[in-house]
Each structure stands twice: as C-alpha cells, then as structure tokens.
Amino acid sequence: MNDTDLTGRTAVVTGAGAGLGRSEALALAAGGANVVVNDLGDGADGVVAEIEAAGGRAIAIRGDVGRWALGQELVGAAVDAFGSLDIVVNNAGITRDAMLFNMTEQGWDDVIRVHLKGHAALSQAAAAHWRAASKSAGGPVYGRIVNTTSEAFLLGGPGQANYAAAKSGIVALTLAAARGLSRYGVTANAIAPRARTDMTAQVFEADPRGTGLDILAPERVATFVRYLASPGAAAVNGQVFVVYGDMVALMAPPTVERTFVAADGVFTADELDDRVSTYFAERGAARTFAADGVAALDTTGVGTTAG
C-alpha cells in the first residue's frame, strides 16, 4: 500500500536556503507538509516564498546549526507555528578540503561542528520532544529523521579527512538514534546523495544525455527524502542509502572477513606476525576497509572535473 501523503505533518530542514536542502523542503511541502526552512542567510526566505506561492505553509528560521541551542529553537518554532514536529531533515554542511598534512585545526573544527554537531543538536532536541510526546500520549508518536552522510565516509577521500570523519560520525549517530528512538515511533535513516548544486558546480561535468531532468538533479534525491519522511517508510529504520540519478542503493552493514584466534589462548607478538602478516602478504595493498565497490554503482555517465 502506498502512503506518502504528508498532509498535516511538520518538517524541519536545515541548510534549506539553496541546493539539495531547498529541493528537500520543496518536495516535503509538495507532499503536504508544513516546513521550517533553516539557513544562514536570505535564501531561507526565498524558499518560504516558493512554498507559499505553491499553496503551502512555511516559515524561515535563520541560524547556524553548529550552535547547539539552535536545535531547540527549530523544534520550538515548528511546534509554535504549526502545532507539531514530525520530520527532521539534517542537510546543512560545508567543506574545507585539504590533505591531512595540510589540515588546520580550524578546518577540522568547522567541518565537524557544522556537520556532526549540527546533526546532533537538532536530533537531540527532536528526540527529547518525541520522547516527551510519547510519554504524554501513552504510546508511539510519529517521528522521522533523515540524516545526510556521504560516499566520502565509505571511500575515505585523501583530501577530505575532516569531511569523511564527520560523515562517518553521522552514520553512527543515525544508528544510535534508530535504536534508541524506535520505541517512541521514530525512525532514523541516512542518505549519501549526489546532486548538482551551486556547491558542486565545479565538481560534476554536464549530463551527457542533454535532455530531460538532469541525471544529478537534487530533485531526484529530494523525492527519496520525501518517501523516507512518509508513513509508507515506517518499517525503514537504521539504514544507509546511496542516492542519485535513477538509483537508490541500500548499503549492507560491514561483515567479518577473517578472525584470528590464539593457539594457546593468549597471542604472542611472534604468533601475530606469523599469522596476520602472512595473511596480509597475500592481499592487495589497495584492499582496505574502504568500500571502493560503491563506485561501480555510478551509471550516470557524468564525470568529474578531477578526472
């Protein structure tokens, strides 16, 4: 049964003044949701105007998601303006790319603060709201968290140590939220999207097809976010999806490749050298924990300016 109607629901979308966040806010509004549009600047007001022009309801709340108190402010704004909070889409983010040996403390802190702390701040405020609502109602309520990770956490790009670390942390945050909040009726999932936006304008080459909706249009990702926010996705929880083009790929959890057990109950360094070193001597140097196979998912035909 299809049940993707969001009429009467209220969503908060961070970083929604442009790019992917804007598309997500518009998609949720098109599904019937009221939307709290968060961003740092004037873009949030423009998105609110777009939603209202289409017959929807929205308000803009400017603010930096890296400021912990903003999470509670966004939750409060949703409840005050529309009477409820049902959906959280954590999207806001920045990049400060650098090789690890050139990474500055500020470049590290800025990315971790906006991405990971920003996700955590709003998620914590929403979780407290839903827990209290569930206790008041005497049973589960309606709650959806959609977090934004990246393929960078799967691949470990050499010039994005800060970004990859933040995105990996977001996946762990998502799993903890999914397990800790399911009893209250809340789901939490993460998406690793690709989308052509102002921020990625210099990253992706043009759509080689040249016709129809751009294969990397953010609207394609936003449609999936709208689905995850809907009643129809109630059974989807604690999952990670790679999303772009005409594809949604569900990632499998890591598996145990090999175990080493001490012959006499306690390892010696020599035994480890004999067994572990021998095992890795027969293994390609490029075969690490990185999920390089995710690159095989790309059938868009869109290259990157990096080559």
Side-chain angles (χ1 to χ4, degrees):
M1 179 181 69
N2 293 327
D3 190 359
T4 58
D5 184 15
L6 299 176
T7 300
R9 307 292 184 190
T10 297
V12 174
V13 185
T14 66
L20 180 56
R22 169 185 170 273
S23 293
E24 291 167 336
L26 293 175
L28 293 168
N34 310 308
V35 185
V36 177
V37 180
N38 161 255
D39 213 304
L40 281 171
D42 296 340
D45 298 311
V47 174
V48 168
E50 288 186 79
I51 291 173
E52 291 179 339
R57 302 172 68 203
I59 60 170
I61 301 293
R62 298 187 191 184
D64 179 356
V65 295
R67 183 172 62 86
W68 189 266
L70 183 66
Q72 186 57 58
E73 292 169 18
L74 290 171
V75 171
V79 174
D80 290 345
F82 304 116
S84 69
L85 172 69
D86 306 286
I87 301 156
V88 163
V89 179
N90 282 304
N91 167 75
I94 61 171
T95 55
R96 298 289 186 270
D97 293 353
M99 296 295 288
L100 188 57
F101 43 77
N102 287 327
M103 183 72 61
T104 66
E105 182 178 6
Q106 192 66 56
W108 177 269
D109 287 348
D110 286 348
V111 169
I112 298 298
R113 182 183 62 82
V114 174
H115 284 276
L116 185 53
K117 183 179 178 181
H119 273 59
L122 178 53
S123 295
Q124 187 279 330
H129 169 80
W130 284 322
R131 179 175 180 267
S134 176
K135 288 183 176 295
S136 178
V141 294
Y142 189 100
R144 300 283 187 270
I145 298 174
V146 181
N147 289 333
T148 308
T149 182
S150 167
E151 291 168 83
F153 103 91
L154 295 165
L155 302 173
Q160 291 189 309
N162 49 1
Y163 185 74
K167 292 303 191 182
S168 178
I170 286 169
V171 171
L173 172 66
T174 303
L175 296 179
R179 291 188 166 186
L181 301 178
S182 61
R183 72 187 72 178
Y184 305 116
V186 179
T187 67
N189 296 285
I191 60 167
R194 289 189 201 177
R196 193 188 308 281
T197 65
D198 288 345
M199 191 172 78
T200 62
Q202 304 305 313
V203 175
F204 299 118
E205 295 176 353
D207 185 345
R209 303 171 311 158
T211 59
L213 184 65
D214 189 328
I215 194 66
L216 291 181
E219 290 83 359
R220 294 176 179 270
V221 177
T223 299
F224 185 62
V225 170
R226 171 180 167 175
Y227 160 71
L228 286 178
S230 74
V236 185
N237 191 32
Q239 306 300 328
V240 177
F241 299 89
V242 176
V243 186
Y244 61 90
D246 59 358
M247 174 206 73
V248 173
L250 172 63
M251 298 303 297
T255 59
V256 176
E257 177 183 336
R258 175 72 177 265
T259 57
F260 303 91
V261 179
D264 297 323
V266 179
F267 274 117
T268 65
D270 287 342
E271 183 185 2
L272 286 168
D273 179 45
D274 179 59
R275 298 179 60 191
V276 180
S277 298
T278 299
Y279 180 76
F280 278 92
E282 301 169 0
R283 180 190 185 94
R287 188 178 168 193
T288 69
F289 192 73
D292 291 326
V294 75
L297 296 172
D298 188 2
T299 61
T300 62
V302 177
T304 65
T305 55

